[in-house]
């Protein structure tokens, strides 16, 4: 990620398909120039404006689930260039995503702006469920202060928090993201 190494990140399946479809050079260029191990300033500004997020999780056996999360503008907080946190609100009570996170911390996050910039942001990392009473022990003092300043902005009933340690982040190509219109 952002290096000149000849070995590309990703799984063996990706590498086999890159070879099959002759996309190795594109993939190398993408990983060298587009993929970061942290949140950049551009990404930070983008996340602050988002009201929705799609997450992907999997249980200990690799059975996957994807789900929508939404909230007020900036409901996902960037605590540092390496850490994000978002509130988990009361929903249908199934706890599929949280259950998966409790067994397997890998998470994929996809933010998409369908309205203004028509861009997306992928953030992949390790997630952990953190209850409100644990926040001060799981966050640095600076992260805790950042979160405290905006903690009570939620109008939905909140169950807990999901803390994500960022492993990679990259902007999604906007050429195929449709423009949507907000309901009035």
């Amino acid at each position: 990620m952002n290096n000149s190494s000849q070995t590309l990140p990703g799984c063996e399946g990706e590498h086999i398909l890159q070879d099959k479809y002759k996309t190795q050079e594109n993939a190398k260029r993408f990983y060298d120039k587009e993929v970061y191990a942290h949140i950049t300033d551009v990404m930070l500004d983008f996340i602050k404006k988002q009201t929705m997020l799609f997450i992907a999780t999997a249980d200990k056996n690799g059975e996957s689930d994807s789900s929508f999360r939404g909230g007020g503008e900036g409901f996902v907080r960037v605590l540092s260039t390496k850490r994000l946190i978002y509130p988990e609100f009361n929903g249908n009570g199934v706890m599929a995503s949280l259950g998966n996170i409790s067994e397997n911390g890998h998470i994929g996050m996809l933010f998409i702006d369908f309205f203004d910039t028509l861009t997306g942001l992928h953030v992949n990392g390790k997630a952990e469920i953190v209850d409100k009473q644990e926040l001060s022990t799981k966050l640095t003092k600076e992260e805790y202060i950042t979160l405290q300043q905006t903690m009570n902005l939620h109008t939905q009933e909140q169950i807990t928090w999901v803390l994500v340690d960022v492993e990679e982040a990259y902007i999604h190509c906007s050429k195929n993201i449709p423009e949507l219109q907000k309901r009035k």
Side-chain angles (χ1 to χ4, degrees), residues 2 9 20 30 35 46 58 64-65 73 81 94-95 105 108 112 119 136 159 162 175:
N2 279 352
K20 177 180 179 177
F30 177 77
V35 179
F46 183 80
S64 61
D65 181 63
E73 193 171 282
T81 62
V94 173
M95 304 286 175
I112 300 179
T119 56
S136 64
I159 296 173
V162 176
K175 69 181 176 183

Side-chain angles (χ1 to χ4, degrees), residues 25-66:
E25 288 304 312
N26 287 349
K28 181 170 177 9
R29 235 182 343 270
F30 177 77
Y31 279 108
D32 285 348
K33 297 186 185 317
E34 308 280 337
V35 179
Y36 296 86
H38 62 275
I39 300 297
T40 67
D41 289 342
V42 170
M43 295 172 186
L44 170 83
D45 291 340
F46 183 80
I47 292 170
K48 284 181 179 180
K49 297 174 186 168
Q50 300 313 301
T51 61
M52 68 177 103
L53 161 70
F54 300 92
I55 62 171
T57 59
D59 65 19
K60 65 183 173 191
N61 299 314
E63 297 290 327
S64 61
D65 181 63
S66 61

Side-chain angles (χ1 to χ4, degrees), residues 64-90:
S64 61
D65 181 63
S66 61
S67 191
F68 172 83
R69 295 292 181 268
E73 193 171 282
F75 77 103
V76 176
R77 303 284 182 244
V78 178
L79 299 175
S80 70
T81 62
K82 294 289 289 175
R83 294 178 103 186
L84 306 174
I85 195 167
Y86 68 88
E88 188 69 30
F89 297 121
N90 191 18

Side-chain angles (χ1 to χ4, degrees), residues 46 110-113 118-122 170-174 177:
F46 183 80
L110 177 60
F111 299 87
I112 300 179
D113 179 353
L118 303 181
T119 56
L121 171 63
H122 293 256
Y170 56 93
I171 301 293
H172 185 89
C173 177
S174 65
I177 297 177

